[in-house]
Amino acid sequence: MTCDLSVKFNYLDFKNPVVAASGTFGFGEEYSRIYDVGILGGICTKGLTLEPKEGNNGIRLWETPMGVLNSIGMENPGIEAFIKNELPKMKKWDTRIIANIGGAAEEEYILASEMLNNADLDMIELNISCPNVREGCMAFGMKEKSAGELVEKIKHTSRHPVIVKLTPNAENIVRVAEACEAAGADGISLINTVKAMAVDIKERKAVFENIYAGLSGPAIKPIALRMVHEVCKAVSIPVIGIGGIMNWKDAMEFIMAGAHLIQIGTANFVNPEAGKKIVSGMKDYMEKEGIKNLDEIRGII
Amino acid sequence: MALITDNKKIGNGIYLLEVEGRFKGSPGQFYMIQVAETYPLLSRPISIFELTGNKLKFLYRIAGEGTRLLSEKKGGECIGLRGPYGNGYPSVKGKIAVVGGGMGAAPLYETCKRLKEHPDITAVDLYLGFSEEIILKNEWEKVCSSFFYDIGGMITKHVDVADYDAVLACGPDIMMKKLTETGKKHGKKVYVSIESRMGCGIGACLSCSCKTANGNKKVCKDGPVFLGVEIYDL
Ligand SMILES: Cc1cc2nc3c(=O)[nH]c(=O)nc-3n(C[C@H](O)[C@H](O)[C@H](O)COP(=O)(O)O)c2cc1C
């Protein structure tokens, strides 16, 4: 039997549902030395801002049981350098390219999305969910009003499809998703990291300079799954499930909960070939179970 | 996956791990060691101690959960290994001082060994500083022209930087900073290997990003070896 892993996400075809999550895959280059990243459904870029950003000082990564706390602080080369230096390299791979954009203020998001209008991309992922920058970003994603207003403006400026990446720290993530849909979003991705902290008892200090950081990895999966399920029930635009996906079984759980696509983040650190393994694992499972297309099992719960 | 052939305690919380297989690597490069498939999640970057034939050795100290679990592994068991990663020490010429502090000694064994065999090198003087005890006391002399060690003091006091063509260092920041300053004064190149918390180990996650005179660099990919003045002369 031939099974088909392809997914229609709005009007865009993805060859399979496995997408590399923002901030965990750079711009793909490092991983392309390990496997052919063109086998992935898509790649989300590192979070981009209008101007280059140096990121946070101090410790940026801390391991915790079955999870990772990060406080990278959106270190990135800026939109212009991305278009000039990184995007042309990414275009060599036969995969969808999603530019993840963040910002401290509304104006920054608007200018960033304008600059990306001339770039050959497949989608924009509006990051209103990063907990590691002092201003903006996650602040937009906490409430439905601020999220909806920003999405409406970006939909107005951007010629690319816009998906919105939500934060589990929102007051009510389902309401935020609904507000994004009402504002014209083409899709929703969730979840970004969970705001968390760690203490160094020897130093009697918070581990991170910003005190709080973002938790990812298997520790957050059950929460992410529940949120994806709730959001899928509430909106009719397609959803990308993210959070603690380590293997093809986890990926299938998110599809059954209603996700169209899935993203893998921390798993790339655990095994740099995680993306490749998840694609082949999903295929094997579908063949064995006689599933011709993921539509047959998507959202069955 | 790699087969462990030995993993023995050689000091207070310090172990020498030996694995078998076909490995590559140059001095100063590291491998990402994965102790278990599920927990802990992340691999630990550990530099090459020695590479001969089909044997690769790592010298490590128990610093947390990952290295503690690693220390419990026995010969015959397997661990995950990826690498070699990082740049390693550059090629140098003439009379070389190799300076290590504490566990910073780990990458210097293979470093000295290769230097000593190299036709462009006239002498390799090794200086190691330890805080409590010397590790592998009888091994170091075999790989250098002269060996000096010190316990509980400042090893930099014993290195006459002006007398060398280049200095290769690995150890605490204060030690490498001091060497960099003296090197700068005498117009000598000092290369330092720096330590950082890493996530992916290949340059994608920016966890180990560090400020340098030439902008942010990734310790795992652009380093771990940098010119001292790039790091400490900001
Ligand atoms: C080191 C690191 C950096 C990240 N950087 C970004 C980023 O720049 N933009 C973003 O939207 N999400 C970022 N994320 C969040 C991930 O894309 C993802 O939403 C989150 O890690 C949950 O998925 P996971 O459990 O599979 O890692 C980052 C996560 C990590 C661990």
Side-chain angles (χ1 to χ4, degrees):
Chain A
M1 191 193 75
T2 52
C3 63
D4 178 15
L5 262 86
S6 72
V7 175
K8 216 170 186 66
F9 190 90
N10 262 331
Y11 299 104
L12 275 183
D13 279 319
F14 281 71
K15 68 173 124 183
N16 64 58
V18 183
V19 176
S22 176
T24 65
F25 213 72
F27 297 101
E29 195 187 347
E30 289 80 16
Y31 288 93
S32 75
R33 299 209 186 114
I34 295 173
Y35 70 96
D36 171 18
V37 297
I39 64 152
L40 295 174
I43 298 173
C44 287
T45 68
K46 171 67 200 165
L48 299 165
T49 48
L50 189 59
E51 300 294 333
K53 240 174 119 63
E54 288 204 347
N56 291 338
N57 291 328
I59 288 178
R60 287 181 171 195
L61 191 83
W62 190 260
E63 191 168 352
T64 181
M66 299 321 283
V68 169
L69 287 163
N70 91 79
S71 178
I72 309 294
M74 299 270 275
E75 175 173 346
N76 81 93
I79 301 271
E80 202 179 313
F82 161 70
I83 295 173
K84 192 162 153 263
N85 306 326
E86 306 296 342
L87 188 58
K89 287 189 254 172
M90 297 183 85
K91 293 306 295 180
K92 288 184 309 207
W93 305 313
D94 175 28
T95 188
R96 295 283 180 202
I97 296 171
I98 303 167
N100 178 286
I101 61 173
E106 190 180 276
E107 192 64 11
E108 275 181 47
Y109 279 96
I110 294 170
L111 289 171
S113 68
E114 244 166 30
M115 278 175 79
L116 286 171
N117 276 342
N118 298 321
D120 188 8
L121 296 168
D122 296 300
M123 293 204 287
I124 282 179
E125 181 175 57
L126 204 60
N127 175 358
I128 53 168
S129 44
C130 177
N132 297 325
V133 285
R134 277 174 211 272
E135 285 168 77
C137 222
M138 191 175 91
F140 290 101
M142 294 300 284
K143 291 184 164 56
E144 55 260 43
K145 187 164 177 287
S146 50
E149 281 170 9
L150 182 67
V151 172
E152 202 172 317
K153 289 188 177 124
I154 302 301
K155 271 307 287 178
H156 195 72
T157 9
S158 183
R159 75 169 180 92
H160 300 295
V162 176
I163 56 172
V164 190
K165 186 166 179 181
L166 305 188
T167 168
N169 310 306
E171 279 181 8
N172 184 329
I173 198 166
V174 176
R175 292 242 182 86
V176 175
E178 287 167 342
C180 293
E181 181 178 35
D186 299 287
I188 300 286
S189 58
L190 76 158
I191 59 176
N192 204 320
T193 54
V194 181
K195 192 172 167 184
M197 81 182 273
V199 171
D200 183 334
I201 57 165
K202 208 165 136 222
E203 300 282 333
R204 302 185 180 190
K205 277 194 331 203
V207 163
F208 296 102
E209 280 202 7
N210 279 354
I211 301 178
Y212 304 128
L215 178 63
S216 64
I220 68 170
K221 197 194 83 178
I223 301 170
L225 196 59
R226 184 266 293 175
M227 288 180 163
V228 166
H229 186 250
E230 285 178 340
V231 167
C232 287
K233 293 271 178 239
V235 299
S236 52
I237 47 177
V239 167
I240 306 182
I242 322 167
I245 298 175
M246 302 303 282
N247 51 48
W248 64 266
K249 288 183 197 149
D250 295 338
M252 292 312 303
E253 289 184 31
F254 278 81
I255 303 283
M256 290 183 191
H260 270 74
L261 305 172
I262 55 106
Q263 287 181 17
I264 48 164
T266 305
N268 295 306
F269 304 164
V270 179
N271 180 349
E273 290 179 71
K276 183 175 155 181
K277 285 180 74 174
I278 292 173
V279 173
S280 65
M282 289 180 88
K283 191 156 188 275
D284 292 348
Y285 168 77
M286 287 170 70
E287 269 167 15
K288 223 167 80 205
E289 297 283 317
I291 301 165
K292 286 201 197 67
N293 191 291
L294 289 171
D295 292 341
E296 291 171 31
I297 50 159
R298 178 175 299 108
I300 56 167
I301 296 162
Chain B
M1 292 297 262
L3 178 71
I4 298 175
T5 43
D6 199 11
N7 189 20
K8 61 170 178 277
K9 187 170 178 179
I10 55 155
N12 187 13
I14 298 170
Y15 291 76
L16 190 63
L17 167 74
E18 183 188 79
V19 294
E20 198 175 72
R22 279 170 50 200
F23 301 105
K24 286 190 286 198
S26 51
Q29 287 192 298
F30 63 92
Y31 273 79
M32 293 298 277
I33 298 189
Q34 191 175 21
V35 183
E37 217 170 297
T38 46
Y39 176 80
L41 285 176
L42 300 178
S43 298
R44 299 294 185 267
I46 307 208
S47 52
I48 296 170
F49 172 77
E50 191 183 12
L51 178 58
T52 33
N54 64 344
K55 293 277 165 68
L56 174 61
K57 289 186 196 170
F58 299 98
L59 180 65
Y60 66 96
R61 173 164 47 202
I62 298 181
E65 195 60 6
T67 38
R68 190 186 62 74
L69 289 167
L70 182 60
S71 74
E72 288 170 0
K73 293 267 174 186
K74 303 266 178 300
E77 291 184 72
C78 283
I79 45 165
L81 264 192
R82 289 182 178 272
Y85 294 134
N87 58 356
Y89 288 103
S91 54
V92 284
K93 279 187 182 149
K95 190 177 177 192
I96 311 299
V98 177
V99 189
M103 287 310 291
L108 302 181
Y109 191 81
E110 185 70 20
T111 304
C112 286
K113 212 174 85 186
R114 301 261 189 119
L115 287 174
K116 211 181 163 200
E117 290 163 2
H118 204 283
D120 292 343
I121 303 296
T122 53
V124 187
D125 296 344
L126 175 62
Y127 300 86
L128 295 181
F130 298 96
S131 54
E132 288 160 18
E133 54 172 347
I134 174 165
I135 37 182
L136 299 170
K137 187 162 192 247
N138 303 319
E139 300 301 313
W140 304 101
E141 269 169 36
K142 299 178 193 164
V143 293
C144 55
S145 320
S146 83
F147 174 48
F148 179 88
Y149 74 90
D150 181 70
I151 295 172
M154 292 251 287
I155 193 68
T156 46
K157 273 200 244 162
H158 306 279
V159 188
D160 183 7
V161 174
D163 194 32
Y164 293 96
D165 293 301
V167 180
L168 309 183
C170 185
D173 275 321
I174 41 162
M175 180 199 99
M176 300 197 290
K177 187 163 191 256
K178 182 93 192 114
L179 290 168
T180 300
E181 281 163 7
T182 325
K184 194 182 173 194
K185 208 156 66 192
H186 297 287
K188 307 288 180 179
K189 281 198 168 132
V190 177
Y191 293 93
V192 300
S193 176
I194 62 177
E195 204 181 12
S196 183
R197 268 166 205 284
M198 291 178 190
C200 64
I202 56 173
C205 73
L206 307 180
S207 300
C208 66
S209 188
C210 82
K211 286 199 163 55
T212 78
N214 303 307
N216 279 7
K217 291 273 175 82
K218 303 162 180 177
V219 174
C220 67
K221 191 181 171 189
D222 305 318
V225 179
F226 295 93
L227 260 177
V229 287
E230 252 192 291
I231 304 293
Y232 299 113
D233 195 26
L234 299 179

